[in-house]
Amino acid sequence: MLNKFISRPHLDALLLHFLKRIYRWERSIKADYGLNYQEIYLLQHLREYSPCRVSDIAEELRIPRFKATRLVSRLAQQEMLDKQKDAADQRVVMVSLLPNGDQVLSRIEENS
């Protein structure tokens, strides 16, 4: 149910404006830092829940595990996170945020 104080056309215009702003922000982050929104969200998640399993990352981001594995690999190559096999179960990969990833994330948050 729409608020009686906001007309549908006005609400649509506001939503379109908001989506354009998000799109421009994502493009500027990609240009400045080489990261997309999923990679940023992954870094933010690891800031709170590091270390965690790749399967937990997939669940949190609501993406298939193979996509989470690719995200983790890209960020590991950029030295933003570390991945290690779990000592108790070699099939499980544990992912941790590295200082470089935290610094990049802080710069993004400061400049947004």
Side-chain angles (χ1 to χ4, degrees):
M1 175 185 239
L2 291 176
N3 186 327
K4 63 182 176 181
F5 299 108
I6 299 176
S7 69
R8 180 59 190 241
H10 184 69
L11 181 61
D12 289 345
L14 288 172
L15 289 172
L16 180 60
H17 175 75
F18 181 69
L19 289 172
K20 285 180 180 180
R21 295 288 306 250
I22 290 172
Y23 177 71
R24 280 190 230 123
W25 176 81
E26 285 180 337
R27 286 183 55 200
S28 71
I29 294 299
K30 184 71 172 174
D32 294 344
Y33 301 98
L35 298 174
N36 63 37
Y37 74 94
Q38 282 184 326
E39 292 163 333
I40 294 168
Y41 187 69
L42 171 54
L43 294 174
Q44 289 173 327
H45 179 72
L46 287 174
R47 182 184 271 165
E48 286 192 46
Y49 303 103
S50 186
C52 73
R53 300 177 305 174
V54 172
S55 58
D56 295 332
I57 291 168
E59 185 177 324
E60 178 67 25
L61 273 61
R62 293 180 173 85
I63 58 175
R65 194 176 305 170
F66 77 89
K67 285 188 179 183
T69 300
R70 287 181 187 163
L71 283 173
V72 166
S73 294
R74 274 199 305 264
L75 293 173
Q77 286 178 336
Q78 296 176 35
E79 298 179 347
M80 292 189 198
L81 54 82
D82 182 49
K83 58 181 184 173
Q84 299 288 325
K85 290 195 184 262
D86 187 1
D89 185 348
Q90 293 290 307
R91 297 171 297 172
V92 175
V93 175
M94 298 301 292
V95 181
S96 301
L97 184 65
L98 291 175
N100 182 46
D102 191 49
Q103 292 168 358
V104 169
L105 188 56
S106 293
R107 285 197 306 267
I108 290 169
E109 291 168 348
E110 288 171 8
N111 295 320
S112 295

